[in-house]
Amino acid sequence: MRIYMEKDYEAMSRRAAQVIAAEITHNPACVLGLATGSTPVGAYRYLADWYRQGQLSFKEVRSVNLDEYKGLAPDHDQSYRYFMQHNLFNHVDILPENTQVPDGLAPDPAGECARYDAYIRSLGYAHLQLLGLGRNGHIGFNEPGDSFVKETHVVDLTQSTIDANARFFASADDVPRQALTMGIGCIMAARRVLVVASGADKADAVYNTVCGPIVPGCPGSILQLHPDVVLVADEAALSKVTAAGVPVCG
Ligand code: F6R
């Protein structure tokens, strides 16, 4: 795992965007696995800026998102489809038909999960998978548990995730209790993984992901087995990793 430490959120966002832009430049028809949440917002802003400035095109890019809340319509302002439209897709030249987010309203959620897995497999998996990290170490919505779940599946969100995401809803009661998430199999099948993290409240999750035992109690820890992971984080998020003497770049 290569670890890049940046001073703050802004520098972290720029660095992460540079990694994504490099992937697109290297392979204009790449498959990008994308994440939502507050951490990648700054990186998406940089990518949109560089597109506007003519430095980058998403014309041939295909994207697959990690997850979606079960029960939220694509035009619900807290759905992950809505998030992607407003933070990235509406601002770049990616073709709508080349963007995929699990359907939170699918009448047959298990069938939707199987369809999603088959689609990602048909693309040959992501060239670059972007991940945020939950405070409990979740990746996608793969919550801490007794085993790593390989396939796209419907998951019950943990109370800590519901509490963490309540900031986006009118109240914690409004946060959906379930989500459809890409499984660990698709994430680990990506050729390269880019993890982004910012802030002191991620320090434990980052430490457990980088230095902890590889256990389903910290889903991010499985990334230690992936051959090509780049972690871009700010000083606060890396504080426990650097205190442990792990070498970082930047
Ligand atoms: C989002 C996702 C989640 C988030 C994680 C961190 O698509 O899959 O794993 O990346 O919950 O969220 P933020 O960035 O809001 O702290």
Side-chain angles (χ1 to χ4, degrees), residues 4-101:
Y4 291 95
M5 184 165 74
E6 299 296 338
K7 193 163 69 67
D8 53 20
Y9 177 77
E10 197 56 35
M12 182 279 297
S13 298
R14 187 178 170 82
R15 171 73 73 157
Q18 282 168 338
V19 175
I20 299 168
E23 188 74 45
I24 298 170
T25 303
H26 165 66
N27 178 7
C30 64
V31 177
L32 294 181
L34 296 176
T36 62
S38 38
T39 315
V41 168
Y44 291 153
R45 182 170 27 84
Y46 275 106
L47 293 173
D49 285 349
W50 296 337
Y51 164 70
R52 257 191 306 275
Q53 292 159 13
Q55 297 176 31
L56 199 61
S57 171
F58 290 74
K59 217 174 185 135
E60 296 174 76
V61 169
R62 285 150 305 159
S63 72
V64 283
N65 260 80
L66 281 167
D67 40 20
E68 179 60 282
Y69 286 117
K70 184 166 172 283
L72 293 197
D75 59 355
H76 186 290
D77 66 2
Q78 292 308 327
S79 77
Y80 285 172
R81 164 56 77 177
Y82 184 96
F83 174 100
M84 289 310 303
Q85 291 302 138
H86 288 263
N87 284 285
L88 185 66
F89 298 156
N90 290 350
H91 308 293
V92 299
D93 59 346
I94 196 163
L95 299 174
E97 62 270 30
N98 285 347
T99 68
Q100 284 276 329
V101 180

Side-chain angles (χ1 to χ4, degrees), residues 99-245:
T99 68
Q100 284 276 329
V101 180
D103 179 0
L105 288 185
D108 170 15
E112 169 63 5
C113 291
R115 180 199 70 80
Y116 207 68
D117 264 345
Y119 177 73
I120 299 171
R121 207 167 37 244
S122 77
L123 295 178
Y125 300 100
H127 292 92
L128 177 70
Q129 175 65 57
L130 175 62
L131 296 177
L133 260 189
R135 289 180 209 167
N136 60 7
H138 72 214
I139 50 177
F141 271 139
N142 293 277
E143 297 280 39
D146 297 331
S147 59
F148 294 107
V149 181
K150 217 172 149 202
E151 288 83 21
T152 298
H153 57 288
V154 178
V155 65
D156 294 330
L157 300 180
T158 62
Q159 194 58 46
S160 90
T161 297
I162 292 166
D163 294 343
N165 290 0
R167 67 192 194 278
F168 301 116
F169 292 82
S171 79
D173 290 343
D174 294 326
V175 183
R177 268 34 189 178
Q178 289 187 308
L180 282 69
T181 184
M182 210 188 264
I184 294 294
C186 277
I187 292 173
M188 291 297 282
R191 273 165 247 189
R192 181 168 300 125
V193 177
L194 169 62
V195 187
V196 288
S198 170
D201 62 341
K202 296 293 174 68
D204 283 324
V206 171
Y207 178 82
N208 291 332
T209 293
V210 175
C211 306
I214 300 169
V215 288
C218 176
S221 64
I222 201 168
L223 297 171
Q224 292 175 39
L225 298 179
H226 193 286
D228 192 351
V229 178
V230 178
L231 166 64
V232 180
D234 59 19
E235 290 174 2
L238 278 168
S239 58
K240 296 199 171 169
V241 170
T242 49

